[in-house]
Amino acid sequence: MLNTVVLYVPIGRKTFDIEAAETYRKQSMKWLEESCSHLVAPDQTVTSVEELQDFLDSIKDVKIDSILYQSVTFADGEFMVKILEYFKQPVIVWSVREPSVGGRLRLNSLTGGNSTSNVLRNHQHPFAFVFGNPDEEDLRKRLLRQFNVMRVFKALSELKIGVVGDYPPGFFFSQANEGELQTALGVTLHKIDLQEAFARCVELPEQEWIGEIDRAERQVIGLNRKDETVTKFAQFSTYIKKHIQQEELDALAMRCWPDFFNELGAAPCSTLSQFTEDGMVTSCESDIHGSVSMFILRELADGNAPYLGDMVHVDEAKNSVVFWHCGAGAYSLANPSTGATVGVHPNRKIGFAMDFGLKAGVVTIFRVSHTPEGYRLLVMKGNALDVEQPFSGTSVEVELKTDVTDTLYKLMHAGYEPHFALVYGDVTEHLIELGRMLQLQTEVYV
C-alpha cells in the first residue's frame, strides 16, 4: 500500500449517463482504498459546483499529498477552479473510456479531462493526465507511479536541509543560492556551526551518546567500542541529532574535510553512514544539491538508502564505471558477502569509516544539477555488479545501459558535478515525470 494521502474527487454532470459514471466511481473507490494509505472522497459523484463547495468546506483542513480529479463525465472548468480555491497540491486528471460505442455519447469523459487539463495549464498549476478504466493494470501502475511522484513533489516544497559547515575550499559545486533553490524546488536551508558542534559535542554526558555506539554495533562488523574515534562519532552524531529534532530537519549536507580530521580527530564518514542508513540522508563535502538528490531517490525508492559517490574509473570492456567515496555508505548497501565492515579513511588513516563494496542489483543514478542557466536533472540506469571491492573506502561498479565512452564524454562536456547519487531499484520513469512537473531540463541515459 502506497504511503500517501489522496483527495479523490469524481465529477460528473446529470445530463450524461450518471449510472455508468457511478459504476466507474465505485470501481475506482474500491481500488483506491486498497492502494492508498489514506483516501479522502465524497460519498457519490459530485454533479454541481455547489455540491463540490459543500464537500470542500467539510475537508478544507485535511492535509493531503495530491488531488485525483476524475472526470467521470464531461464537466466544464468551474469545478477545477473551485478546487484550486481550497487546495494548492498537484493534480492528477483522470479520464475513463466510453462504456459503449454507437449511439449516444454517454460520458464524454475524455473531453472533460481535456478541458480540465487546459484550465490547470492556464492556471500554471502542476498536474498530470491519465487515461483508462479502474480495472486496467497499466492505468493502475501509472496512477501509483504518479501518486508517488506527486508525494515527492510536495515533500520537496517542505524539505529543510541542515547545512553543517561551509563547503571545502574549491568545492564550488557543493554550494547553493538559497533563494534560487527555494524558488525552483521549494527547498529551504538551516545553517549549523561546525566549530561549535565540535566544541559542544565532547561535553555531552556518556549516557546521552552511548546509544549511538550500540546502534552502530548492530550492523557494523569489526567495530571497536573502545576506539576514541568511535566515541567521537557517537558524541558528534548525538549533538547533531539535537539540531535535527529542534529544527525539524529532513536531510543534511555536512562539511567533512579537513575539519573533522584536524579538529575533532575523527572521520566524518561514520556519522554520514549511520544517518543515511536511518533515514536522514546526509551528503559529504557540504554538497547541498547532492543531499537533495539523495532525498528524492530515497523517497521514490520506498525508503531505500541512497549512496553518493564520485565517478572514478571506467572499464570500456565491461561498459562500466565505478562510483567511490572515502568511507561513507549506508550499512544496508554493503555486499552481503562481506557486510558493512569498519575501516579508516583511506587518505587520512583515521577512523572510523566504512570499508566495503556495495551489493549487486539494478540501480538508478541521479543528480539535481545547477548551471548558470538554472537547474537541470540527470537520470541514468545501470546494474551494480557483484565484483570484488574496487577501491578501499566504499565503492560500486555499475554496468551502464548506454555506451560508457559516449556517456562519459557527454557528462563531462555537459559539466555535471562530480557527486552522483545512486539508489537500488528502477525509478527512472518517476524521475523523468518529476522533472516534467518541476519544468526542468532532464537528460536521460537509460
Side-chain angles (χ1 to χ4, degrees):
M1 180 173 287
L2 193 64
N3 183 25
T4 189
V5 183
V6 176
L7 169 59
Y8 168 55
V9 189
I11 299 293
R13 284 292 198 185
K14 292 180 179 179
T15 49
F16 291 92
D17 188 342
I18 205 69
E19 284 189 26
E22 267 294 288
T23 298
Y24 278 136
R25 184 196 68 83
K26 289 176 182 177
Q27 291 174 349
S28 302
M29 276 290 295
K30 183 176 185 299
W31 178 75
L32 288 167
E33 287 174 335
E34 294 169 352
S35 304
C36 302
S37 59
H38 189 52
L39 186 67
V40 181
D43 295 330
Q44 59 187 8
T45 302
V46 176
T47 59
S48 72
V49 176
E50 292 74 24
E51 282 181 30
L52 177 62
Q53 182 164 340
D54 290 342
F55 170 65
L56 295 174
D57 280 335
S58 71
I59 57 134
K60 61 185 178 183
D61 295 325
V62 176
K63 292 185 177 181
I64 63 171
D65 293 319
S66 57
I67 301 164
L68 178 59
Y69 179 102
Q70 189 181 47
S71 187
V72 230
T73 78
F74 172 79
D76 55 66
E78 283 186 281
F79 290 87
M80 181 49 66
V81 170
K82 179 58 67 175
I83 290 173
L84 296 182
E85 292 176 7
Y86 286 79
F87 293 102
K88 302 305 178 187
Q89 283 80 0
V91 176
I92 303 171
V93 180
W94 181 4
S95 287
V96 295
R97 300 181 189 277
E98 281 298 310
S100 62
V101 177
R104 178 192 175 199
L105 187 64
R106 294 167 63 186
L107 296 178
N108 200 17
S109 170
L110 189 55
T111 304
N114 196 162
S115 173
T116 305
S117 297
N118 174 258
V119 168
L120 288 162
R121 176 65 182 86
N122 288 335
H123 278 72
Q124 298 182 309
H125 191 89
F127 77 98
F129 172 80
V130 298
F131 176 69
N133 289 350
D135 61 348
E136 296 176 16
E137 190 62 29
D138 285 347
L139 180 279
R140 292 180 174 188
K141 288 180 180 177
R142 185 178 291 271
L143 272 174
L144 288 175
R145 182 171 67 239
Q146 200 66 56
F147 286 146
N148 210 5
V149 170
M150 289 191 166
R151 179 183 57 80
V152 175
F153 183 91
K154 178 173 177 283
L156 269 178
S157 69
E158 301 169 348
L159 176 59
K160 186 177 181 182
I161 298 178
V163 182
V164 190
D166 295 328
Y167 60 91
F171 279 54
F172 305 116
F173 68 85
S174 288
Q175 65 183 321
N177 180 297
E178 188 167 2
E180 188 179 3
L181 180 65
Q182 186 166 13
T183 299
L185 301 176
V187 178
T188 58
L189 305 178
H190 169 73
K191 300 292 181 70
I192 299 174
D193 190 304
L194 183 61
Q195 304 307 316
E196 182 178 353
F198 289 154
R200 299 283 296 277
C201 75
V202 295
E203 299 173 352
L204 295 173
E206 181 177 341
Q207 64 267 26
E208 288 192 25
W209 52 259
I210 195 66
E212 291 298 304
I213 299 179
D214 296 336
R215 189 267 168 273
E217 202 170 37
R218 290 196 293 271
Q219 279 181 278
V220 178
I221 298 168
L223 185 71
N224 179 3
R225 295 180 63 98
K226 297 180 180 180
D227 189 322
E228 183 183 7
T229 66
V230 173
T231 297
K232 290 182 176 180
F233 141 77
Q235 292 170 330
F236 183 82
S237 298
T238 301
Y239 178 84
I240 295 299
K241 275 191 172 181
K242 292 176 183 291
H243 275 272
I244 292 171
Q245 294 164 359
Q246 290 168 4
E247 298 296 331
E248 298 182 327
L249 302 176
D250 305 295
L252 295 174
M254 191 179 297
R255 177 178 172 121
C256 43
W257 63 270
D259 311 69
F260 266 83
F261 308 103
N262 297 344
E263 297 173 39
L264 187 64
C269 313
S270 45
T271 297
L272 275 63
S273 301
Q274 187 150 300
F275 277 1
T276 300
E277 176 68 27
D278 291 342
M280 178 60 54
V281 298
T282 306
S283 64
C284 59
E285 293 161 343
S286 205
D287 181 0
I288 293 168
H289 297 128
S291 181
V292 177
S293 304
M294 295 171 74
F295 176 83
I296 290 172
L297 287 182
R298 190 202 67 189
E299 290 295 302
L300 288 176
D302 299 324
N304 290 344
Y307 178 72
L308 190 71
D310 300 328
M311 186 189 298
V312 298
H313 179 68
V314 173
D315 187 332
E316 290 87 351
K318 295 165 72 175
N319 201 57
S320 67
V321 298
V322 172
F323 296 102
W324 165 92
H325 229 278
C326 312
Y331 308 146
S332 57
L333 301 182
N335 192 308
S337 65
T338 64
T341 51
V342 72
V344 295
H345 190 279
N347 297 330
R348 305 283 180 145
K349 306 303 180 185
I350 296 177
F352 92 86
M354 305 313 301
D355 188 12
F356 58 76
L358 274 60
K359 61 188 178 182
V362 174
V363 294
T364 302
I365 302 143
F366 175 62
R367 176 76 195 186
V368 174
S369 175
H370 184 266
T371 73
E373 291 76 39
Y375 281 95
R376 60 182 177 175
L377 303 182
L378 171 68
V379 180
M380 302 170 64
K381 186 163 68 173
N383 288 311
L385 302 176
D386 189 4
V387 296
E388 188 176 342
Q389 182 179 346
F391 301 101
S392 57
T394 57
S395 53
V396 58
E397 184 173 2
V398 178
E399 179 187 10
L400 299 183
K401 294 296 183 180
T402 52
D403 180 80
V404 69
T405 302
D406 181 58
T407 302
L408 173 67
Y409 277 92
K410 285 181 177 177
L411 293 177
M412 297 304 163
H413 289 155
Y416 280 100
E417 298 87 339
H419 285 171
F420 297 85
L422 176 152
V423 78
Y424 284 81
D426 181 2
V427 292
T428 54
E429 291 185 3
H430 299 71
L431 292 167
I432 293 167
E433 175 61 12
L434 181 64
R436 185 194 68 80
M437 292 194 63
L438 291 168
Q439 300 181 51
L440 297 180
Q441 172 194 342
T442 304
E443 191 163 357
V444 181
Y445 295 85
V446 297

